[in-house]
Amino acid sequence: MNELTTELMELLAAAAAARERAYCPYSTFAVGAAVRTASGALFYGCNIENAAYPSTICAERVALFSAYASGEREITALAVIADTPEPVSPCGGCRQVIFELAPRAVVLLANLRGAWRITSVAELLPDGFALINRLGGR
Ligand code: THU
């Protein structure tokens, strides 16, 4: 699937709105994310930084954790946007989180200049780390 559907455009607009709410006084690099779940609900994420730098959390994780915290686990799509020359490239940690929490998601990466790319978890993180099949998870 490589088409910017109306639904994906709506999700991208949500991610762009979330980006405006980024709390990033240290890096000044604002990132927005949004996820859609099977029920049709949208969840928002932006990066939220902290003076203790490692306590910062990325936009993608905020959006995914928000969906899970609301009881929504079937993530159908994730959009991420930042002011980058090319469509934003999620960090390695977020790729691992997407791998586990949104394995079937369509992933839409974009920038503020209108460039976008539709990708998948398999493409972003081949051979991600998994424990859940061995230990069972809830
Ligand atoms: N950031 C994200 O929100 N998502 C990513 O995939 C990469 C990095 C944030 C974290 C930090 O607040 C800022 O961008 C600079 O690293």
Side-chain angles (χ1 to χ4, degrees):
M1 206 258 285
N2 226 351
E3 193 195 334
L4 203 49
T5 60
T6 314
E7 269 199 8
L8 284 175
M9 279 180 356
E10 189 192 358
L11 193 64
L12 187 54
R19 183 184 165 276
E20 298 292 326
R21 303 191 281 266
Y23 174 73
C24 52
Y26 306 106
S27 73
T28 71
F29 183 72
V31 185
V35 301
R36 184 185 295 280
T37 61
S39 73
L42 294 187
F43 295 89
Y44 296 79
C46 59
N47 53 327
I48 301 175
E49 299 186 343
N50 193 275
Y53 293 175
S55 299
T56 290
I57 184 166
C58 292
E60 298 91 319
R61 275 178 248 190
V62 172
L64 288 166
F65 294 171
S66 175
Y68 269 62
S70 299
E72 299 260 3
R73 294 188 175 189
E74 192 55 45
I75 313 293
T76 56
L78 162 71
V80 193
I81 189 166
D83 189 7
T84 41
E86 302 295 328
V88 63
S89 180
C91 78
C94 283
R95 289 175 193 227
Q96 175 66 32
V97 171
I98 298 165
F99 175 85
E100 178 150 346
L101 299 189
R104 285 172 289 280
V106 170
V107 181
L108 171 60
L109 307 175
N111 66 14
L112 293 187
R113 303 168 197 192
W116 54 272
R117 168 187 164 210
I118 291 173
T119 184
S120 64
V121 181
E123 190 180 20
L124 287 174
L125 187 69
D127 283 327
F129 176 68
L131 275 180
I132 226 148
N133 291 337
R134 278 196 296 136
L135 300 180
R138 293 194 296 155

